[in-house]
């Protein structure tokens, strides 16, 4: 059998799962190339625990060159161009041809897209979570504002987890009485894609912890120690923690893979783009749900989409007629502090969509810990 080359762009959640899955199915029957700019990869759900000091960056970071031991070719570099006509990608000036392509380039954080936001704290990056942890240790008290700067953003639970973990952090450090906490978001409720019952449940959790919730607030700019919103209102802060705006990687737009939104449209079940043999998975994609909302950007979906795309490519190469479909099922833990978490799960492709929340308990917190350990052990 002639050797075929499968190129995976991006070595985050989706890319690492896809490369592993391709390798486990195809072994030496195909050349698998994984291209990634940052060889040190960390588990993003644990950034919240870096913020609170419950994890060190080292404990949640792995080197993806470890995948080379399995026979996966790891190329360190910047994907500069995707040439769909020539079926090749350019990486730091080098051309790599492909028979199949999986685009797993994620979403970029764009704090510079909003005036004045670049200096805000964020736990949406590992470096940001570390810096915020240091700032919390010396913060003397005042108004902490957590602001979601724009839609879409990854992990719809993370702003609410972040607010509750901040509350819990100050509580356990006996400084809660010195803090006022508030969340501002353009969303009409927490996790709108989960429906009103889930939103209500999260709002109750926030209220119970004394965290003010301000929906439908689209941030326009940060000026000094004040947030300015598009509706003309403003809010003061002493410490600003932001979920920065997200944008699609420019290389996918330049390649002609994206739609007007900049994200990549795909077949929701197979993750194939309109270009033969080219798949896109995870945060870089845009999948419309039946009510006009979009599938959230979340690792749980990047993971299952990677498995589907990789298995179907392997089946094609092996000449098997068997195909898998991504079914839209997902779950997410919601850390509430004090060693407890809730868990929301459901079928995002369902009609009607029903996303149910299990009440906070230590069980779900340990579920997230188990997921973290499994993830860091399994894929590297
Ligand atoms: C604080 C936080 C908490 C989260 N918690 C959860 C959670 O509890 N559950 C959950 O399901 N999800 C969670 N997520 C979301 C989850 O991390 C993402 O949805 C997931 O990582 C998406 O996977 P991906 O493969 O699409 O993109 P990524 O994992 O972001 O990987 C994309 C990769 O592409 C690389 N790349 C991009 N452009 C280029 C280029 N031009 N050249 C070379 N390499 C490039 C990047 O360096 C990156 O490594 C959380 C995210 C954050 C920030």
């Amino acid at each position: 059998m002639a050797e075929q080359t499968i190129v995976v762009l991006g070595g985050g959640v989706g890319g690492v799962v896809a490369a592993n899955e391709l390798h486990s199915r195809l072994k030496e029957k195909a050349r698998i190339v994984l291209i990634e700019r940052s060889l040190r990869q960390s588990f993003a759900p644990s950034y919240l625990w870096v913020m609170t000091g419950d994890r060190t960056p080292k404990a949640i970071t792995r080197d993806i060159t470890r995948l080379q031991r399995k026979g996966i070719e790891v190329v360190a570099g910047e994907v500069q161009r995707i040439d769909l006509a020539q079926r090749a990608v350019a990486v730091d000036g080098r051309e790599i041809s492909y028979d199949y392509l999986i685009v797993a380039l994620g979403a970029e954080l764009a704090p510079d897209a909003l005036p004045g936001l670049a200096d805000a704290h964020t736990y949406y990056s590992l470096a940001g979570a570390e810096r915020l942890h240091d700032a919390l240790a010396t913060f003397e008290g005042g108004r902490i504002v957590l602001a979601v700067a724009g839609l879409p953003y990854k992990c719809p639970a993370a702003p609410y987890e972040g607010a509750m973990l901040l509350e819990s952090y100050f509580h356990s450090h006996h400084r809660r009485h010195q803090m006022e906490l508030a969340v501002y978001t353009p969303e009409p409720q927490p996790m709108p894609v989960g429906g009103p019952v889930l939103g209500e449940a999260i709002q109750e959790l926030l209220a119970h912890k004394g965290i003010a919730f301000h929906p439908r607030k689209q941030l326009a700019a940060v000026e000094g120690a004040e947030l300015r919103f598009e509706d003309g209102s403003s809010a003061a802060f002493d410490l600003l923690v932001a979920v920065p705006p997200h944008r699609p990687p420019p290389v996918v737009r330049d390649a002609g893979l994206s739609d007007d939104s900049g994200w990549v449209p795909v077949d929701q079940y197979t993750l194939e783009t309109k270009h033969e043999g080219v798949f896109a998975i995870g945060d870089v994609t845009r999948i419309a749900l039946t009510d006009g909302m979009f599938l959230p950007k979340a690792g749980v979906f990047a993971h299952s989409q990677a498995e589907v795309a990789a298995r179907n490519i392997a089946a094609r190469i092996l000449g098997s007629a068997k195909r898998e479909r991504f079914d839209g099922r997902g779950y997410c833990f919601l850390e509430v502090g004090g060693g407890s978490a809730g868990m929301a799960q459901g079928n995002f492709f369902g009609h009607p969509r029903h996303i149910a929340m299990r009440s906070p308990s230590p069980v779900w917190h340990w579920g997230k810990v188990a997921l973290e350990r499994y993830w860091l052990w399994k894929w590297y």
Side-chain angles (χ1 to χ4, degrees), residues 18 22 102 270-271 279-281 304-314:
L22 286 163
I102 299 183
T270 66
L271 293 316
F279 297 74
I281 58 174
S304 10
Q305 292 172 346
E307 288 178 337
V308 168
R311 287 172 189 167
N312 289 345
I313 291 172

Side-chain angles (χ1 to χ4, degrees), residues 21 50 58 79 99 199 215 226 229 278 298 324 349 361 363 378:
E21 192 64 29
V50 171
K58 187 167 174 251
V79 178
D99 297 288
E226 226 170 43
F229 297 102
V278 178
E324 292 195 9
F349 290 170
S361 105
V363 170
K378 166 87 178 160

Side-chain angles (χ1 to χ4, degrees), residues 165-177 179:
L165 287 179
L166 282 169
E167 195 275 342
S168 175
Y169 171 91
F170 288 117
H171 192 76
S172 62
H173 286 75
H174 311 292
R175 290 193 278 142
R176 174 67 180 94
H177 62 284
M179 312 293 162

Side-chain angles (χ1 to χ4, degrees), residues 10-15 35-38 41 44-45 47-48 77-79 104-107 123-124 154-155 158 161 249 251 281-284 297-300 302 333 368:
V13 170
I35 306 173
E36 168 60 53
R37 62 154 81 102
S38 328
Q41 287 286 324
Y47 292 175
L48 290 146
E78 182 75 19
V79 178
L105 292 171
Y123 51 81
Y124 260 61
K154 27 185 164 181
C155 191
E161 286 189 284
V251 70
I281 58 174
D283 290 356
V284 78
K297 298 194 182 303
V300 65
F333 297 109
K368 179 165 169 174

